Amino acid sequence: MLAPAVSAPTTLSSMLAAFVREHWRAYATAGLMLSCIAMMTVWIPRQVGHVVDDLVAGRLQGEALLRQLGLLVLAGLAVYLLRAGWRLTLFKASFRLGARLRTRLFARLALQSPTYFQAQRTGDLMALATNDIDTVEQAAGEAMLAGFDGTQTLLLVLAMMTIGIDWRLGLAALLPFPLMALAFWWISNHVHTAAQDSLTAFSGLNQQVQESLAGVRTVRALGLVDRSRRQFGDLAERAAEASFRSQRWEAAYEPAVGMTLGAATAIALAVGGWLVAQREITIGQLTAFTMYLGQLIWPMFAAGWVMSLLERGRAAWARLGPVLEAPLTLQDDGRTALAPDAALRAEHLGFSFGAAKRAALSDVSFTLPPGRTLGVVGPTGAGKSTLVRLLLRQAEPQAGRLTLGGVALPDLPLATLRSHIAWVPQEPFLFSATVAENIALARPEASAAEVEAAARLAAVHEDIARLPAGYGTEVGERGVTLSGGQRQRVAIARALLSNAPLLVLDDALSAVDTGTETAILDHLRELRSARPDRSVIVIAHRLSAVMEADEILVLRQGQVVERGTHAELLALGGWYASQWRYQQIEASLEAA
Protein backbone atom coordinates (compact mmCIF):
# COMPACT_ATOMS: atom_id res chain seq x y z
CA MET A 1 0.00 0.00 0.00
CA LEU A 2 1.32 3.43 -0.87
CA ALA A 3 2.20 5.60 2.07
CA PRO A 4 -0.26 8.41 2.69
CA ALA A 5 2.50 10.96 2.70
CA VAL A 6 3.50 10.15 -0.90
CA SER A 7 2.15 12.83 -3.19
CA ALA A 8 -0.35 11.69 -5.77
CA PRO A 9 0.43 11.87 -9.51
CA THR A 10 -0.63 15.18 -11.00
CA THR A 11 -2.61 13.70 -13.91
CA LEU A 12 -4.94 10.77 -14.38
CA SER A 13 -2.70 9.28 -17.07
CA SER A 14 0.40 9.32 -14.85
CA MET A 15 -1.53 7.74 -12.00
CA LEU A 16 -2.91 5.01 -14.25
CA ALA A 17 0.52 4.40 -15.78
CA ALA A 18 2.05 3.94 -12.31
CA PHE A 19 -0.74 1.57 -11.30
CA VAL A 20 -0.42 -0.52 -14.49
CA ARG A 21 3.36 -0.81 -13.96
CA GLU A 22 2.78 -2.10 -10.46
CA HIS A 23 0.12 -4.61 -11.54
CA TRP A 24 1.62 -5.44 -14.92
CA ARG A 25 1.06 -9.19 -14.50
CA ALA A 26 -2.71 -8.80 -14.21
CA TYR A 27 -2.83 -6.40 -17.16
CA ALA A 28 -0.51 -8.60 -19.24
CA THR A 29 -2.65 -11.68 -18.54
CA ALA A 30 -5.83 -9.81 -19.48
CA GLY A 31 -4.08 -8.43 -22.58
CA LEU A 32 -3.00 -11.92 -23.65
CA MET A 33 -6.58 -13.17 -23.30
CA LEU A 34 -7.82 -10.24 -25.37
CA SER A 35 -5.24 -10.99 -28.06
CA CYS A 36 -6.53 -14.56 -28.30
CA ILE A 37 -10.09 -13.22 -28.48
CA ALA A 38 -9.15 -10.79 -31.25
CA MET A 39 -7.43 -13.46 -33.33
CA MET A 40 -10.36 -15.84 -33.03
CA THR A 41 -12.77 -13.01 -33.75
CA VAL A 42 -11.10 -12.20 -37.06
CA TRP A 43 -10.66 -15.89 -37.89
CA ILE A 44 -14.39 -16.66 -37.65
CA PRO A 45 -15.56 -14.40 -40.55
CA ARG A 46 -12.70 -15.61 -42.74
CA GLN A 47 -13.63 -19.21 -41.99
CA VAL A 48 -17.30 -18.46 -42.69
CA GLY A 49 -16.25 -17.03 -46.05
CA HIS A 50 -14.39 -20.23 -46.93
CA VAL A 51 -17.41 -22.30 -45.87
CA VAL A 52 -19.72 -20.19 -48.07
CA ASP A 53 -17.43 -20.53 -51.10
CA ASP A 54 -17.11 -24.29 -50.55
CA LEU A 55 -20.90 -24.64 -50.25
CA VAL A 56 -21.46 -22.63 -53.47
CA ALA A 57 -18.88 -24.80 -55.26
CA GLY A 58 -20.40 -27.98 -53.81
CA ARG A 59 -17.15 -28.99 -52.12
CA LEU A 60 -18.50 -29.07 -48.56
CA GLN A 61 -21.27 -31.30 -47.25
CA GLY A 62 -22.13 -33.99 -44.72
CA GLU A 63 -19.57 -34.77 -42.05
CA ALA A 64 -17.09 -32.17 -43.31
CA LEU A 65 -19.74 -29.45 -43.01
CA LEU A 66 -20.59 -30.52 -39.47
CA ARG A 67 -16.90 -30.47 -38.57
CA GLN A 68 -16.53 -26.91 -39.86
CA LEU A 69 -19.63 -25.79 -38.00
CA GLY A 70 -18.30 -27.48 -34.83
CA LEU A 71 -15.04 -25.52 -35.12
CA LEU A 72 -17.00 -22.27 -35.37
CA VAL A 73 -19.07 -23.19 -32.27
CA LEU A 74 -15.91 -24.07 -30.30
CA ALA A 75 -14.31 -20.79 -31.33
CA GLY A 76 -17.38 -18.90 -30.12
CA LEU A 77 -17.31 -20.76 -26.79
CA ALA A 78 -13.60 -20.04 -26.34
CA VAL A 79 -14.24 -16.32 -26.99
CA TYR A 80 -16.97 -16.35 -24.32
CA LEU A 81 -14.71 -18.01 -21.70
CA LEU A 82 -11.76 -15.74 -22.46
CA ARG A 83 -13.94 -12.63 -22.20
CA ALA A 84 -15.13 -13.75 -18.78
CA GLY A 85 -11.52 -14.49 -17.77
CA TRP A 86 -10.08 -11.12 -18.74
CA ARG A 87 -12.86 -9.26 -16.96
CA LEU A 88 -12.28 -11.19 -13.73
CA THR A 89 -8.51 -10.67 -13.96
CA LEU A 90 -8.71 -6.99 -14.78
CA PHE A 91 -11.49 -5.88 -12.48
CA LYS A 92 -9.79 -7.55 -9.53
CA ALA A 93 -6.81 -5.24 -10.16
CA SER A 94 -8.94 -2.14 -10.72
CA PHE A 95 -10.87 -2.78 -7.49
CA ARG A 96 -7.51 -2.71 -5.70
CA LEU A 97 -7.00 0.78 -7.10
CA GLY A 98 -10.33 1.92 -5.67
CA ALA A 99 -9.47 0.46 -2.26
CA ARG A 100 -6.03 2.08 -2.38
CA LEU A 101 -7.34 5.50 -3.32
CA ARG A 102 -9.94 5.39 -0.56
CA THR A 103 -7.29 4.32 1.97
CA ARG A 104 -4.93 7.06 0.79
CA LEU A 105 -7.69 9.67 0.90
CA PHE A 106 -8.72 8.68 4.42
CA ALA A 107 -5.10 8.59 5.64
CA ARG A 108 -4.44 11.98 4.08
CA LEU A 109 -7.51 13.55 5.65
CA ALA A 110 -6.64 12.00 9.03
CA LEU A 111 -3.38 13.97 9.01
CA GLN A 112 -5.04 17.29 8.28
CA SER A 113 -5.81 19.69 11.11
CA PRO A 114 -9.26 21.17 11.86
CA THR A 115 -8.15 24.29 9.98
CA TYR A 116 -8.17 22.30 6.74
CA PHE A 117 -11.69 20.97 7.30
CA GLN A 118 -13.01 24.46 7.97
CA ALA A 119 -12.41 25.16 4.27
CA GLN A 120 -13.94 21.84 3.10
CA ARG A 121 -17.50 20.56 2.91
CA THR A 122 -18.24 17.15 4.38
CA GLY A 123 -20.51 16.27 1.46
CA ASP A 124 -17.71 16.98 -1.02
CA LEU A 125 -15.25 14.75 0.83
CA MET A 126 -17.84 11.96 1.06
CA ALA A 127 -18.51 12.25 -2.67
CA LEU A 128 -14.78 12.03 -3.40
CA ALA A 129 -14.51 8.82 -1.38
CA THR A 130 -17.45 7.22 -3.19
CA ASN A 131 -18.58 8.55 -6.56
CA ASP A 132 -15.33 10.13 -7.77
CA ILE A 133 -13.13 7.17 -6.85
CA ASP A 134 -15.63 4.81 -8.50
CA THR A 135 -15.23 6.86 -11.68
CA VAL A 136 -11.42 6.73 -11.54
CA GLU A 137 -11.63 2.99 -10.86
CA GLN A 138 -13.67 2.52 -14.04
CA ALA A 139 -11.03 4.43 -16.00
CA ALA A 140 -8.35 2.07 -14.67
CA GLY A 141 -10.34 -1.07 -15.41
CA GLU A 142 -12.98 -0.98 -18.10
CA ALA A 143 -11.55 1.96 -20.05
CA MET A 144 -7.98 0.71 -20.34
CA LEU A 145 -8.73 -2.84 -21.36
CA ALA A 146 -11.66 -1.87 -23.58
CA GLY A 147 -9.32 0.55 -25.31
CA PHE A 148 -6.71 -2.18 -25.75
CA ASP A 149 -9.27 -4.70 -26.93
CA GLY A 150 -10.96 -2.27 -29.31
CA THR A 151 -7.67 -1.04 -30.81
CA GLN A 152 -6.33 -4.55 -31.28
CA THR A 153 -9.57 -5.79 -32.84
CA LEU A 154 -9.72 -2.73 -35.10
CA LEU A 155 -6.19 -3.25 -36.43
CA LEU A 156 -6.70 -6.97 -37.03
CA VAL A 157 -10.06 -6.50 -38.72
CA LEU A 158 -8.71 -3.71 -40.93
CA ALA A 159 -5.74 -5.90 -41.85
CA MET A 160 -8.05 -8.76 -42.82
CA MET A 161 -10.30 -6.42 -44.80
CA THR A 162 -7.55 -4.69 -46.74
CA ILE A 163 -4.84 -7.36 -46.99
CA GLY A 164 -6.82 -10.56 -46.58
CA ILE A 165 -9.67 -9.67 -48.97
CA ASP A 166 -9.20 -6.57 -51.13
CA TRP A 167 -7.39 -3.31 -50.36
CA ARG A 168 -9.59 -1.24 -52.67
CA LEU A 169 -12.74 -2.43 -50.94
CA GLY A 170 -11.16 -1.78 -47.54
CA LEU A 171 -10.10 1.79 -48.36
CA ALA A 172 -13.51 2.59 -49.84
CA ALA A 173 -15.29 1.35 -46.70
CA LEU A 174 -13.01 3.52 -44.49
CA LEU A 175 -13.91 6.80 -46.18
CA PRO A 176 -16.55 7.83 -43.53
CA PHE A 177 -14.31 7.12 -40.54
CA PRO A 178 -12.37 10.46 -40.39
CA LEU A 179 -15.73 12.20 -39.96
CA MET A 180 -16.51 9.88 -37.04
CA ALA A 181 -13.16 10.72 -35.41
CA LEU A 182 -14.00 14.44 -35.66
CA ALA A 183 -17.41 13.81 -34.11
CA PHE A 184 -15.81 11.82 -31.27
CA TRP A 185 -13.43 14.68 -30.50
CA TRP A 186 -16.30 17.17 -30.35
CA ILE A 187 -18.47 14.89 -28.20
CA SER A 188 -15.65 14.04 -25.75
CA ASN A 189 -15.08 17.72 -24.94
CA HIS A 190 -18.74 18.08 -24.01
CA VAL A 191 -18.64 14.82 -22.01
CA HIS A 192 -15.75 16.16 -19.89
CA THR A 193 -17.62 19.39 -19.04
CA ALA A 194 -20.88 17.54 -18.38
CA ALA A 195 -19.12 14.98 -16.16
CA GLN A 196 -17.60 17.77 -14.06
CA ASP A 197 -21.01 19.37 -13.62
CA SER A 198 -22.54 15.99 -12.71
CA LEU A 199 -19.90 15.23 -10.06
CA THR A 200 -20.21 18.73 -8.58
CA ALA A 201 -23.99 18.45 -8.45
CA PHE A 202 -23.72 15.08 -6.73
CA SER A 203 -21.41 16.63 -4.12
CA GLY A 204 -23.93 19.38 -3.45
CA LEU A 205 -26.70 16.81 -3.05
CA ASN A 206 -24.49 14.77 -0.73
CA GLN A 207 -23.76 17.86 1.38
CA GLN A 208 -27.47 18.68 1.70
CA VAL A 209 -28.27 15.13 2.85
CA GLN A 210 -25.43 15.14 5.38
CA GLU A 211 -26.39 18.52 6.85
CA SER A 212 -30.11 17.73 6.95
CA LEU A 213 -29.61 14.41 8.73
CA ALA A 214 -27.00 15.78 11.14
CA GLY A 215 -29.24 18.71 12.04
CA VAL A 216 -32.58 16.93 11.83
CA ARG A 217 -33.55 17.95 15.38
CA THR A 218 -32.90 21.62 14.65
CA VAL A 219 -34.73 21.43 11.33
CA ARG A 220 -37.80 19.97 13.04
CA ALA A 221 -37.66 22.30 16.04
CA LEU A 222 -37.56 25.41 13.84
CA GLY A 223 -40.28 24.14 11.51
CA LEU A 224 -37.93 24.02 8.53
CA VAL A 225 -38.92 20.58 7.27
CA ASP A 226 -40.84 21.89 4.24
CA ARG A 227 -38.08 24.33 3.31
CA SER A 228 -35.46 21.60 3.72
CA ARG A 229 -37.55 19.29 1.54
CA ARG A 230 -37.80 21.97 -1.17
CA GLN A 231 -34.06 22.64 -1.05
CA PHE A 232 -33.35 18.95 -1.34
CA GLY A 233 -35.80 18.64 -4.20
CA ASP A 234 -34.11 21.50 -6.05
CA LEU A 235 -30.67 19.96 -5.56
CA ALA A 236 -31.93 16.52 -6.58
CA GLU A 237 -33.42 18.08 -9.72
CA ARG A 238 -30.14 19.82 -10.55
CA ALA A 239 -28.16 16.63 -9.96
CA ALA A 240 -30.57 14.66 -12.14
CA GLU A 241 -30.38 17.30 -14.87
CA ALA A 242 -26.55 17.35 -14.73
CA SER A 243 -26.45 13.56 -14.88
CA PHE A 244 -28.91 13.59 -17.78
CA ARG A 245 -26.74 16.07 -19.71
CA SER A 246 -23.71 13.87 -19.14
CA GLN A 247 -25.57 10.74 -20.27
CA ARG A 248 -27.03 12.59 -23.26
CA TRP A 249 -23.58 13.53 -24.53
CA GLU A 250 -22.30 10.00 -23.90
CA ALA A 251 -25.25 8.66 -25.87
CA ALA A 252 -24.17 10.82 -28.82
CA TYR A 253 -21.34 8.36 -29.52
CA GLU A 254 -23.80 5.67 -30.63
CA PRO A 255 -25.45 7.64 -33.48
CA ALA A 256 -22.01 8.69 -34.71
CA VAL A 257 -20.95 5.03 -34.82
CA GLY A 258 -24.21 3.91 -36.41
CA MET A 259 -24.13 6.57 -39.15
CA THR A 260 -20.49 5.83 -39.91
CA LEU A 261 -20.98 2.07 -40.14
CA GLY A 262 -24.16 2.54 -42.15
CA ALA A 263 -22.32 4.69 -44.67
CA ALA A 264 -19.37 2.28 -44.71
CA THR A 265 -21.69 -0.70 -45.30
CA ALA A 266 -23.44 1.05 -48.18
CA ILE A 267 -20.12 1.90 -49.81
CA ALA A 268 -18.81 -1.64 -49.22
CA LEU A 269 -21.87 -3.25 -50.79
CA ALA A 270 -21.76 -0.94 -53.80
CA VAL A 271 -18.05 -1.34 -54.44
CA GLY A 272 -18.07 -5.04 -53.43
CA GLY A 273 -21.00 -5.80 -55.75
CA TRP A 274 -19.13 -4.21 -58.62
CA LEU A 275 -15.97 -6.24 -57.79
CA VAL A 276 -18.04 -9.46 -57.64
CA ALA A 277 -19.55 -8.61 -61.01
CA GLN A 278 -16.03 -8.10 -62.36
CA ARG A 279 -15.09 -11.49 -60.85
CA GLU A 280 -12.26 -9.87 -58.86
CA ILE A 281 -13.61 -11.17 -55.52
CA THR A 282 -15.95 -14.04 -54.71
CA ILE A 283 -19.34 -13.96 -52.99
CA GLY A 284 -17.72 -15.68 -49.99
CA GLN A 285 -15.09 -12.93 -49.77
CA LEU A 286 -17.80 -10.25 -49.91
CA THR A 287 -19.71 -12.14 -47.21
CA ALA A 288 -16.59 -12.27 -45.03
CA PHE A 289 -15.95 -8.57 -45.69
CA THR A 290 -19.43 -7.57 -44.57
CA MET A 291 -18.98 -9.70 -41.42
CA TYR A 292 -15.69 -7.92 -40.74
CA LEU A 293 -17.46 -4.63 -41.24
CA GLY A 294 -19.99 -5.73 -38.64
CA GLN A 295 -17.13 -6.57 -36.30
CA LEU A 296 -16.03 -2.92 -36.46
CA ILE A 297 -19.10 -2.09 -34.39
CA TRP A 298 -17.33 -3.16 -31.19
CA PRO A 299 -14.10 -1.17 -31.75
CA MET A 300 -16.15 1.90 -32.62
CA PHE A 301 -18.40 1.54 -29.61
CA ALA A 302 -15.31 0.77 -27.50
CA ALA A 303 -13.72 4.01 -28.69
CA GLY A 304 -16.76 6.02 -27.61
CA TRP A 305 -17.04 4.15 -24.34
CA VAL A 306 -13.36 4.55 -23.54
CA MET A 307 -13.38 8.25 -24.32
CA SER A 308 -16.45 8.68 -22.14
CA LEU A 309 -14.92 6.79 -19.21
CA LEU A 310 -11.59 8.61 -19.53
CA GLU A 311 -13.24 12.02 -19.68
CA ARG A 312 -15.31 11.18 -16.63
CA GLY A 313 -12.16 9.87 -14.95
CA ARG A 314 -10.29 13.08 -15.79
CA ALA A 315 -13.12 15.14 -14.32
CA ALA A 316 -13.11 13.02 -11.15
CA TRP A 317 -9.31 13.16 -10.83
CA ALA A 318 -9.41 16.94 -11.22
CA ARG A 319 -11.45 16.97 -8.00
CA LEU A 320 -9.67 14.13 -6.21
CA GLY A 321 -6.05 14.92 -7.07
CA PRO A 322 -5.86 18.31 -5.29
CA VAL A 323 -7.15 16.74 -2.06
CA LEU A 324 -4.54 13.97 -2.21
CA GLU A 325 -1.84 16.53 -3.02
CA ALA A 326 -2.96 19.19 -0.52
CA PRO A 327 -0.08 20.10 1.79
CA LEU A 328 -0.49 18.73 5.27
CA THR A 329 -1.61 21.32 7.78
CA LEU A 330 -0.25 19.04 10.48
CA GLN A 331 3.23 17.53 10.11
CA ASP A 332 4.02 14.19 11.72
CA ASP A 333 7.79 13.94 11.49
CA GLY A 334 8.68 13.77 15.21
CA ARG A 335 10.94 10.91 16.27
CA THR A 336 11.79 11.66 19.92
CA ALA A 337 10.70 9.20 22.61
CA LEU A 338 8.69 10.44 25.60
CA ALA A 339 9.66 9.80 29.21
CA PRO A 340 6.99 8.03 31.35
CA ASP A 341 6.70 10.85 33.92
CA ALA A 342 6.65 13.86 31.62
CA ALA A 343 5.78 17.33 32.86
CA LEU A 344 3.75 19.60 30.59
CA ARG A 345 5.19 23.09 30.18
CA ALA A 346 3.86 26.09 28.25
CA GLU A 347 6.40 28.82 27.54
CA HIS A 348 5.09 32.22 26.45
CA LEU A 349 2.46 30.82 24.08
CA GLY A 350 0.99 33.11 21.44
CA PHE A 351 -1.61 32.35 18.77
CA SER A 352 -3.91 34.32 16.46
CA PHE A 353 -6.67 33.21 14.10
CA GLY A 354 -6.04 34.46 10.57
CA ALA A 355 -6.18 38.23 10.30
CA ALA A 356 -7.76 38.73 13.75
CA LYS A 357 -6.55 41.96 15.35
CA ARG A 358 -6.50 40.50 18.86
CA ALA A 359 -4.47 37.42 19.70
CA ALA A 360 -6.43 34.39 20.92
CA LEU A 361 -3.52 33.64 23.27
CA SER A 362 -0.71 35.94 24.33
CA ASP A 363 2.28 35.15 26.58
CA VAL A 364 0.64 32.18 28.34
CA SER A 365 2.98 30.16 30.54
CA PHE A 366 2.48 27.38 33.09
CA THR A 367 3.94 24.10 34.29
CA LEU A 368 1.94 20.95 35.07
CA PRO A 369 4.02 18.26 36.80
CA PRO A 370 2.83 14.61 36.79
CA GLY A 371 0.03 13.94 39.26
CA ARG A 372 -1.11 17.56 39.52
CA THR A 373 -4.35 19.26 38.45
CA LEU A 374 -4.53 22.52 36.51
CA GLY A 375 -7.75 24.50 36.28
CA VAL A 376 -8.34 26.95 33.43
CA VAL A 377 -11.25 29.37 33.65
CA GLY A 378 -12.33 32.62 32.11
CA PRO A 379 -15.18 34.27 30.23
CA THR A 380 -16.31 33.12 26.79
CA GLY A 381 -13.68 33.90 24.15
CA ALA A 382 -10.86 34.05 26.67
CA GLY A 383 -8.76 31.45 24.79
CA LYS A 384 -9.43 28.30 26.85
CA SER A 385 -10.33 26.05 23.93
CA THR A 386 -7.52 27.54 21.84
CA LEU A 387 -5.10 26.36 24.51
CA VAL A 388 -6.49 22.83 24.17
CA ARG A 389 -6.12 22.97 20.39
CA LEU A 390 -2.45 23.81 20.77
CA LEU A 391 -1.99 21.04 23.30
CA LEU A 392 -3.58 18.49 20.95
CA ARG A 393 -1.60 19.88 18.01
CA GLN A 394 -4.74 20.77 16.14
CA ALA A 395 -2.89 24.03 15.57
CA GLU A 396 0.71 25.17 16.08
CA PRO A 397 1.65 28.08 18.39
CA GLN A 398 2.87 31.16 16.55
CA ALA A 399 4.95 32.21 19.51
CA GLY A 400 6.50 30.27 22.39
CA ARG A 401 6.27 26.51 22.66
CA LEU A 402 4.65 23.58 24.46
CA THR A 403 6.85 20.78 25.79
CA LEU A 404 6.29 17.36 27.36
CA GLY A 405 9.19 16.13 29.45
CA GLY A 406 11.32 18.87 27.92
CA VAL A 407 10.51 17.75 24.35
CA ALA A 408 8.70 20.19 22.05
CA LEU A 409 5.40 18.71 20.87
CA PRO A 410 6.35 18.79 17.13
CA ASP A 411 9.35 16.59 17.98
CA LEU A 412 7.05 13.84 19.27
CA PRO A 413 5.29 11.39 16.93
CA LEU A 414 1.59 12.22 16.80
CA ALA A 415 0.73 8.69 17.89
CA THR A 416 2.88 9.15 21.00
CA LEU A 417 1.37 12.54 21.83
CA ARG A 418 -2.21 11.36 21.39
CA SER A 419 -1.68 8.20 23.39
CA HIS A 420 -0.40 10.44 26.21
CA ILE A 421 -3.59 12.56 26.31
CA ALA A 422 -7.20 11.55 27.02
CA TRP A 423 -9.39 14.42 25.85
CA VAL A 424 -13.06 15.01 26.60
CA PRO A 425 -14.29 17.85 24.33
CA GLN A 426 -17.12 20.27 24.95
CA GLU A 427 -19.26 18.44 22.40
CA PRO A 428 -18.35 14.74 22.73
CA PHE A 429 -18.70 12.52 19.68
CA LEU A 430 -20.19 9.06 20.02
CA PHE A 431 -20.13 6.49 17.25
CA SER A 432 -23.00 4.35 15.97
CA ALA A 433 -22.11 1.47 18.27
CA THR A 434 -23.07 0.14 21.68
CA VAL A 435 -22.48 2.10 24.85
CA ALA A 436 -19.80 -0.40 25.89
CA GLU A 437 -18.00 -0.07 22.54
CA ASN A 438 -18.04 3.71 22.80
CA ILE A 439 -16.55 3.63 26.30
CA ALA A 440 -13.92 1.06 25.30
CA LEU A 441 -12.94 2.96 22.17
CA ALA A 442 -9.39 3.72 23.39
CA ARG A 443 -9.01 0.24 24.90
CA PRO A 444 -11.00 -2.28 22.85
CA GLU A 445 -9.50 -5.12 24.87
CA ALA A 446 -10.96 -3.79 28.14
CA SER A 447 -13.15 -6.23 30.04
CA ALA A 448 -16.82 -5.63 30.82
CA ALA A 449 -15.88 -5.06 34.48
CA GLU A 450 -13.37 -2.36 33.52
CA VAL A 451 -15.92 -0.66 31.26
CA GLU A 452 -18.48 -0.67 34.06
CA ALA A 453 -15.93 0.67 36.55
CA ALA A 454 -15.14 3.60 34.23
CA ALA A 455 -18.87 4.28 33.82
CA ARG A 456 -19.32 4.35 37.60
CA LEU A 457 -16.44 6.85 37.93
CA ALA A 458 -18.19 9.04 35.33
CA ALA A 459 -21.51 8.73 37.23
CA VAL A 460 -23.28 7.29 34.19
CA HIS A 461 -23.62 3.61 35.20
CA GLU A 462 -27.16 3.98 36.55
CA ASP A 463 -28.30 5.80 33.41
CA ILE A 464 -26.83 3.02 31.25
CA ALA A 465 -28.49 0.34 33.36
CA ARG A 466 -31.87 1.90 32.59
CA LEU A 467 -31.32 1.68 28.83
CA PRO A 468 -33.19 -1.12 26.98
CA ALA A 469 -30.11 -3.32 26.53
CA GLY A 470 -27.85 -1.76 29.15
CA TYR A 471 -24.25 -1.53 27.94
CA GLY A 472 -25.28 -3.32 24.75
CA THR A 473 -27.64 -0.53 23.70
CA GLU A 474 -26.91 1.03 20.31
CA VAL A 475 -26.57 4.78 20.85
CA GLY A 476 -27.28 5.78 17.24
CA GLU A 477 -25.29 8.19 15.07
CA ARG A 478 -23.52 10.83 17.18
CA GLY A 479 -25.16 9.32 20.27
CA VAL A 480 -28.56 10.68 19.25
CA THR A 481 -30.44 8.35 21.63
CA LEU A 482 -28.67 9.82 24.69
CA SER A 483 -29.11 13.19 26.36
CA GLY A 484 -26.36 15.80 26.28
CA GLY A 485 -25.32 15.04 29.85
CA GLN A 486 -25.26 11.29 29.20
CA ARG A 487 -23.09 11.78 26.12
CA GLN A 488 -20.65 13.87 28.13
CA ARG A 489 -20.42 11.29 30.89
CA VAL A 490 -19.95 8.42 28.43
CA ALA A 491 -17.09 10.44 26.90
CA ILE A 492 -15.62 10.99 30.38
CA ALA A 493 -15.85 7.25 31.05
CA ARG A 494 -14.05 6.61 27.75
CA ALA A 495 -11.23 8.95 28.79
CA LEU A 496 -10.98 7.46 32.28
CA LEU A 497 -10.72 3.94 30.85
CA SER A 498 -7.73 4.90 28.73
CA ASN A 499 -4.22 4.63 30.11
CA ALA A 500 -3.29 8.17 29.07
CA PRO A 501 -1.17 9.99 31.71
CA LEU A 502 -2.87 13.33 30.98
CA LEU A 503 -6.63 13.84 31.23
CA VAL A 504 -8.05 16.99 29.61
CA LEU A 505 -11.66 17.94 30.46
CA ASP A 506 -12.61 20.73 28.07
CA ASP A 507 -15.74 22.09 29.76
CA ALA A 508 -16.84 18.45 29.91
CA LEU A 509 -19.17 18.97 32.87
CA SER A 510 -21.26 21.76 31.37
CA ALA A 511 -24.26 19.53 30.56
CA VAL A 512 -24.55 17.85 33.98
CA ASP A 513 -26.22 19.16 37.12
CA THR A 514 -24.20 20.27 40.12
CA GLY A 515 -24.91 17.06 42.04
CA THR A 516 -23.59 14.88 39.21
CA GLU A 517 -20.64 17.23 38.79
CA THR A 518 -19.78 16.81 42.48
CA ALA A 519 -20.01 13.02 42.19
CA ILE A 520 -17.72 12.97 39.13
CA LEU A 521 -15.18 15.27 40.80
CA ASP A 522 -15.20 13.06 43.92
CA HIS A 523 -14.53 10.02 41.73
CA LEU A 524 -11.71 11.86 39.95
CA ARG A 525 -10.20 12.64 43.33
CA GLU A 526 -10.38 8.94 44.23
CA LEU A 527 -8.82 8.01 40.90
CA ARG A 528 -6.05 10.51 41.45
CA SER A 529 -5.26 8.86 44.77
CA ALA A 530 -5.19 5.44 43.08
CA ARG A 531 -3.05 6.71 40.23
CA PRO A 532 -0.87 9.56 41.48
CA ASP A 533 1.04 9.94 38.18
CA ARG A 534 -2.01 11.09 36.16
CA SER A 535 -2.22 14.81 35.48
CA VAL A 536 -5.51 16.59 34.89
CA ILE A 537 -6.42 19.79 33.09
CA VAL A 538 -9.95 20.99 33.88
CA ILE A 539 -11.36 23.75 31.70
CA ALA A 540 -14.68 24.97 33.03
CA HIS A 541 -17.19 27.78 33.25
CA ARG A 542 -18.48 26.58 36.63
CA LEU A 543 -15.73 27.39 39.10
CA SER A 544 -16.82 24.57 41.42
CA ALA A 545 -15.18 22.19 38.89
CA VAL A 546 -11.71 23.66 39.51
CA MET A 547 -11.82 24.67 43.17
CA GLU A 548 -9.60 21.74 44.23
CA ALA A 549 -7.04 22.19 41.44
CA ASP A 550 -3.40 22.65 42.48
CA GLU A 551 -3.25 25.78 40.31
CA ILE A 552 -5.92 27.77 38.52
CA LEU A 553 -5.30 30.05 35.53
CA VAL A 554 -7.78 32.83 34.80
CA LEU A 555 -7.69 33.81 31.12
CA ARG A 556 -9.14 37.01 29.76
CA GLN A 557 -8.66 38.14 26.15
CA GLY A 558 -6.02 35.45 25.68
CA GLN A 559 -3.85 36.47 28.65
CA VAL A 560 -3.34 35.06 32.13
CA VAL A 561 -4.75 37.77 34.38
CA GLU A 562 -4.89 35.75 37.62
CA ARG A 563 -3.29 32.53 38.85
CA GLY A 564 -3.16 30.63 42.10
CA THR A 565 -5.19 28.19 44.19
CA HIS A 566 -8.89 28.60 44.85
CA ALA A 567 -8.25 30.23 48.22
CA GLU A 568 -5.58 32.55 46.83
CA LEU A 569 -7.82 33.73 44.00
CA LEU A 570 -10.70 34.39 46.38
CA ALA A 571 -8.40 36.45 48.54
CA LEU A 572 -7.18 38.35 45.48
CA GLY A 573 -10.68 39.76 44.95
CA GLY A 574 -10.49 39.85 41.13
CA TRP A 575 -12.57 38.30 38.35
CA TYR A 576 -12.42 34.81 39.89
CA ALA A 577 -13.69 36.00 43.28
CA SER A 578 -16.57 38.00 41.82
CA GLN A 579 -17.55 35.15 39.50
CA TRP A 580 -17.44 32.69 42.41
CA ARG A 581 -19.80 34.87 44.47
CA TYR A 582 -22.18 35.23 41.53
CA GLN A 583 -22.27 31.47 40.90
CA GLN A 584 -22.80 30.71 44.58
CA ILE A 585 -25.79 33.10 44.70
CA GLU A 586 -27.14 31.53 41.49
CA ALA A 587 -26.79 28.03 42.96
CA SER A 588 -28.56 29.00 46.20
CA LEU A 589 -31.46 30.52 44.24
CA GLU A 590 -31.79 27.35 42.16
CA ALA A 591 -31.75 25.23 45.32
CA ALA A 592 -34.48 27.39 46.83
Side-chain angles (χ1 to χ4, degrees), residues 31 34-35 37-38 41-42 83 86 142-158 295-306:
L34 286 171
S35 297
I37 292 170
T41 300
V42 298
R83 286 197 183 279
W86 79 256
E142 298 175 48
M144 294 194 66
L145 264 294
F148 176 79
D149 184 24
T151 301
Q152 185 175 237
T153 303
L154 175 66
L155 294 176
L156 287 172
V157 169
L158 290 179
Q295 286 189 349
L296 286 180
I297 293 177
W298 160 240
M300 296 303 100
F301 274 120
W305 188 31
V306 168

Side-chain angles (χ1 to χ4, degrees), residues 357-400:
K357 295 181 179 179
R358 182 174 62 83
L361 289 177
S362 177
D363 197 29
V364 174
S365 299
F366 63 85
T367 299
L368 179 62
R372 309 279 282 182
T373 298
L374 175 70
V376 182
V377 298
T380 301
K384 303 184 294 296
S385 293
T386 302
L387 179 62
V388 175
R389 291 186 62 184
L390 299 183
L391 176 59
L392 298 173
R393 283 202 68 203
Q394 294 178 355
E396 302 290 0
Q398 296 157 354

